[in-house]
Amino acid sequence: MTTDLDQLQADLLVSIEAASGIEALDAVRVQALGKQGAVTGLLKTLGAMTPEERQEQGPRIHALREAVTEAIATRKVALDAAMLEAKLARETLDMTLPADAPAPGSVHPIGQVMDELAEIFADLGFSVATGPEIEDDWHNFTALNIPETHPARAMHDTFYLAGAHERPMVLRTHTSPVQIRTMMAQTPPIRIIAPGRVYRSDSDATHTPMFHQIEGLVIDKGITLGHLKWTLETFLKAFFERDDIVLRLRPSYFPFTEPSAEVDVGFTWTNGKRVIGGSGDAEDGGWMEVLGSGMVHRRVIAACGLDPDEWQGFAFGTGVDRLAMLKYGMDDLRAFFDGDLRWLNHYGFSALDVPTLSGGVGA
């Protein structure tokens, strides 16, 4: 029987190597390992053997099956590679042909609003600063005067990254760490905006796990709340392209600013929709929160290696997605990330709609 097994293995290996395609290889597999296959038939004979015969022949039959199985797998890999090479040789793409675009591309509202904000603040003397989206615990919390017991550090708000790190690592929950990195890297005076993606564990019609923020920072000598209010008022008038913007600053609390203020903007009801502008105290209007702001906390300035007795500053932040919703009449934040071309064709902007202060940032 040993001779028969050796001959069967040799014949099967020759047939496997000679298989010219996947179908031919599969036929050999069925012939050897199928329900009625030669190797399968040998395995079935083990039950009728004596213990001595089974001890002698069993390992040889199993070795035959393993050799055939391995040979089939190796040949399949070779055939697949050959098929891929042949397909790549057949298929070509002429890069000189014009692109087949069934519909013109559109600029996403988020991208458009980012450009609008950069244009407005560039005119006010601000530069754009960026930072990593994966932040360490110190830059994201500690340097911003957020204590270890603060609710913002809780797992239900923050995405923490697993792994061995010198400091705990998180997906940044705000763009404020960019302010810290800028103050540590640059010598005042500083005037920056920090737009970018941020992450929090939240999801509904007005919240998504990833969204966009823009924060502003000014560090200089003699900075007051008056400078902050003027900056925000100028910014909002330019963004909403209305001169009747009215602001209301309400006392609030943020660990990294003191004093802190929520910024409300007046709106009026027009055709059942809220339109930014006008006195919030009017009968047909009200107030809507759009920004958080305040004077940079002394501890934050000191943590960045600056003397808070010499340098003062203000900071503010708002959601870019929320600004886009308010300005362009969108009612569900989740649609921003659905990738629906119909939505983008409706709300998208032409690539030629470049925001300029002279032509209108929302042109």
Side-chain angles (χ1 to χ4, degrees):
M1 185 173 181
T2 300
T3 303
D4 294 340
L5 289 177
D6 291 340
Q7 185 61 48
L8 176 60
Q9 178 171 328
D11 293 343
L12 289 174
L13 294 181
V14 169
S15 298
I16 292 170
E17 190 62 30
S20 58
I22 296 297
E23 291 185 1
L25 181 64
D26 194 57
V28 177
R29 181 190 65 78
V30 173
Q31 175 188 349
L33 304 174
K35 290 184 178 180
Q36 305 300 322
V39 178
T40 305
L42 290 173
L43 289 170
K44 292 178 179 179
T45 64
L46 291 174
M49 293 182 183
T50 64
E52 292 77 12
E53 292 173 330
R54 190 181 305 116
Q55 185 175 6
E56 179 184 355
Q57 300 298 330
R60 292 173 179 159
I61 295 175
H62 284 293
L64 169 62
R65 181 182 63 178
E66 291 177 5
V68 171
T69 301
E70 182 179 350
I72 291 174
T74 302
R75 183 58 178 162
K76 185 177 185 303
V77 170
L79 290 174
D80 287 340
M83 289 174 60
L84 179 59
E85 288 291 336
K87 183 178 180 181
L88 292 175
R90 287 194 312 271
E91 296 180 357
T92 59
L93 180 63
D94 188 349
M95 300 301 293
T96 65
L97 293 175
D100 181 14
S106 298
V107 175
H108 196 282
I110 293 297
Q112 182 73 9
V113 170
M114 288 280 203
D115 290 343
E116 294 175 9
L117 297 174
E119 176 70 15
I120 293 169
F121 281 106
D123 191 62
L124 295 175
F126 287 69
S127 60
V128 176
T130 59
E133 294 179 20
I134 297 177
E135 267 292 4
D136 61 70
D137 179 83
W138 189 85
H139 284 90
N140 195 79
F141 293 123
T142 306
L144 289 161
N145 196 37
I146 301 176
E148 293 188 3
T149 56
H150 196 280
R153 292 182 181 237
M155 290 291 291
H156 63 270
D157 285 331
T158 305
F159 291 107
Y160 283 86
L161 276 65
H165 306 284
E166 184 178 350
R167 293 171 174 164
M169 303 298 289
V170 302
L171 294 180
R172 66 181 182 187
T173 58
H174 43 193
T175 53
S176 299
V178 179
Q179 300 180 19
I180 300 297
R181 292 182 177 275
T182 302
M183 283 191 280
M184 296 181 70
Q186 297 182 17
T187 301
I190 295 171
R191 288 173 177 80
I192 63 159
I193 56 170
R197 289 185 289 262
V198 297
Y199 306 84
R200 294 179 191 173
S201 183
D202 204 353
S203 182
D204 56 39
T206 56
H207 299 85
T208 54
M210 185 279 286
F211 56 102
H212 301 81
Q213 270 192 349
I214 182 168
E215 299 199 15
L217 172 71
V218 170
I219 299 292
D220 207 334
K221 296 179 179 179
I223 297 298
T224 68
L225 271 174
H227 296 109
L228 169 62
K229 186 175 186 296
W230 179 88
T231 301
L232 296 180
E233 194 170 63
T234 304
F235 152 56
L236 291 171
K237 285 181 177 180
F239 179 73
F240 289 107
E241 300 179 76
R242 296 184 62 133
D243 291 328
D244 60 345
I245 297 294
V246 179
L247 299 188
R248 181 178 70 176
L249 273 63
R250 288 181 292 105
S252 186
Y253 167 76
F254 303 111
F256 33 85
T257 53
E258 178 59 38
S260 304
E262 299 278 7
V263 181
D264 300 334
V265 63
F267 71 88
T268 56
W269 289 102
T270 303
N271 297 326
K273 292 186 178 181
R274 287 183 293 191
V275 177
I276 301 298
S279 172
D281 294 326
E283 293 183 3
D284 60 344
W287 295 97
M288 180 185 303
E289 177 191 331
V290 292
L291 287 150
S293 65
M295 302 300 293
V296 179
H297 201 292
R298 290 175 57 88
R299 292 179 183 173
V300 175
I301 295 176
C304 296
L306 301 176
D307 183 357
D309 291 326
E310 180 181 4
W311 302 104
Q312 302 81 45
F314 64 76
F316 57 88
T318 186
V320 177
D321 316 73
R322 179 169 173 76
L323 289 179
M325 292 174 71
L326 291 174
K327 184 171 182 177
Y328 297 111
M330 306 162 188
D331 57 3
D332 193 330
L333 188 60
R334 292 169 294 191
F336 281 66
F337 309 99
D338 285 344
D340 191 329
L341 289 178
R342 296 168 301 177
W343 182 90
L344 187 57
N345 288 334
H346 179 73
Y347 286 111
F349 293 81
S350 167
L352 301 178
D353 288 339
V354 179
T356 62
L357 291 178
S358 59
V361 291

